[in-house]
Amino acid sequence: AFPAAGLSASSVPGVSAPGALQAQPWVACERVCGTAENKSLAGLVALVTGGSRGTGKGTAQMLASSGAVVYTTGRSVPGAPTDPTVPATVEEMATLANKLGGSGVAVHADHSKVEDNKALADAIAQNHGRLDILVNNAPTKEGDDVVRITDPLAESLARGKGVVVDLGGSQTGVTKSEQHGYLHQMLVAPGRVKTERAISVAQKMGTRLTDMECARLSG
C-alpha cells in the first residue's frame, strides 16, 4: 500500500511533489534496473564493420548493451594484429558483447575484397535471415574503386529494419546504397574521438586529451 495524502510510490516532497506537502515516514519506489532496463534492441541483428577497436568497437558495445545480436568484423587475428599499438581482435569484442547482455559474433573479413563481403552476407542470411542495422565503419577503398558492402547485404537489409549508419571516413559509397529505396540511411561524423590509438599516442607524447567524444559516441 502507498502512503496517504496524495503520495504515490514516486512522490518525494520537494523533489517530485510540492515541498509544502507533509512528509510521510516512508516512500515506496519501484524500478526495473540493470540490463533489463535498456534492452530496446533485443532480437535485432546488427553488423559493425571494423569493430575490433575505436569507434567501431564503441558502437558495437552500445548495440550489445541494448540486447542486439552484433556481428563485428576485422582483419586482426589473435597474435597477429593489424595495428601493433592497439592489439585488439574481433574475438575479444564478441566476448565483451556477450558480457554486456547481447550476442557477439566475430568475423574475420577484409572489406576491400568482394569475396569476403559476399561470404559475410551469405553467413548472416543463413544464420538469421535478415539484417536490421548495418554500421559502416571500416574503410573499403581499394585503389580508385569503392567496394560497397551494402550491395551484397541488400536482401538481408530488406528483410530487416534496413538501418544503415555510415561513420565518417568509412568511404562506403552513400550514393550507391541510396538506390535501395527501403534503406534508412544516415551519416555520422563524430569528429575527434578518444579511441585506444588516440590514448596511446597521448601517453607517449605526455599530452592530455580534452574535448573529445568517447568511443561509444554516447556523449
Side-chain angles (χ1 to χ4, degrees):
F2 298 125
L7 279 178
S8 69
S10 58
S11 298
V12 179
V15 180
S16 59
L21 190 63
Q22 182 178 1
Q24 298 295 315
W26 56 271
V27 175
C29 298
E30 182 177 355
R31 180 184 177 188
V32 177
C33 297
T35 56
E37 191 176 23
N38 60 351
K39 295 301 181 185
S40 58
L41 301 182
L44 298 188
V45 182
L47 165 62
V48 181
T49 66
S52 62
R53 63 177 72 92
T55 54
K57 180 178 181 179
T59 303
Q61 290 181 59
M62 293 298 287
L63 292 169
S65 65
S66 294
V69 175
V70 185
Y71 284 77
T72 55
T73 67
R75 295 175 297 160
S76 294
V77 296
T82 55
D83 185 351
T85 63
V86 189
T89 65
V90 289
E91 285 84 2
E92 295 172 358
M93 180 56 235
T95 300
L96 179 57
N98 295 330
K99 292 180 179 179
L100 290 172
S103 298
V105 182
V107 180
H108 293 284
D110 183 346
H111 293 297
S112 66
K113 298 180 179 179
V114 175
E115 58 271 23
D116 281 16
N117 294 332
K118 184 179 184 305
L120 173 61
D122 291 344
I124 293 175
Q126 181 177 359
N127 293 336
H128 297 281
R130 73 183 198 283
L131 180 62
D132 298 295
I133 304 167
L134 166 63
V135 180
N136 285 319
N137 175 63
T140 57
K141 191 171 183 180
E142 183 177 31
D144 294 330
D145 298 324
V146 174
V147 179
R148 308 179 198 279
I149 188 176
T150 309
D151 295 336
L153 291 167
E155 292 186 6
S156 290
L157 285 165
R159 290 191 292 266
K161 299 294 185 181
V163 176
V164 179
V165 180
D166 288 324
L167 293 183
S170 61
Q171 303 182 56
T172 50
V174 175
T175 55
K176 181 64 177 291
S177 57
E178 281 177 346
Q179 294 178 13
H180 304 297
Y182 49 82
L183 296 183
H184 308 283
Q185 189 160 8
M186 65 189 76
L187 174 65
V188 178
R192 300 174 66 242
V193 181
K194 194 174 183 179
T195 62
E196 298 96 329
R197 182 178 291 106
I199 295 173
S200 176
V201 172
Q203 289 175 342
K204 291 179 180 179
M205 298 181 63
T207 59
R208 297 181 61 185
L209 299 177
T210 58
D211 300 324
M212 299 181 72
E213 174 65 88
C214 71
R216 291 191 177 194
L217 305 183
S218 59

